[in-house]
Amino acid sequence: MRTRPQLLWLLAPYVLYLAAVPLVNRVEPTVFGVPFLFVWLFGATLLTPPLVWCTYRADRRAQRERADGGGES
């Protein structure tokens, strides 16, 4: 069975959205007049596509290395 540790990057959006929300669920402080929770969720939304793209690139690179014979022996 082959391992694909690069797929662990896909857990980051879940952590940003679900696990961290109880920690940042506050009305104060505000950022530019917006509650911090909204700023946190907006930042997590902007960060998710680059994380998915990095995971995709790393997985493609690993698959190419396995196909070229650089994988398991």
Side-chain angles (χ1 to χ4, degrees):
M1 178 171 172
R2 61 179 191 220
T3 60
R4 295 165 67 183
Q6 61 275 12
L7 295 182
L8 291 176
W9 280 103
L10 294 177
L11 292 177
Y14 290 106
V15 171
L16 287 172
Y17 281 109
L18 299 178
V21 168
L23 302 174
V24 298
N25 190 12
R26 314 218 187 301
V27 175
E28 297 290 332
T30 60
V31 179
F32 300 116
V34 178
F36 186 67
L37 176 63
F38 292 153
V39 174
W40 180 271
L41 292 174
F42 183 69
T45 301
L46 292 178
L47 192 59
T48 297
L51 287 171
V52 172
W53 180 77
C54 288
T55 303
Y56 169 73
R57 293 280 311 242
D59 197 44
R60 268 185 46 198
R61 184 179 306 127
Q63 286 179 351
R64 236 179 309 165
E65 289 174 2
R66 278 193 301 270
D68 292 340
E72 300 173 18
S73 13

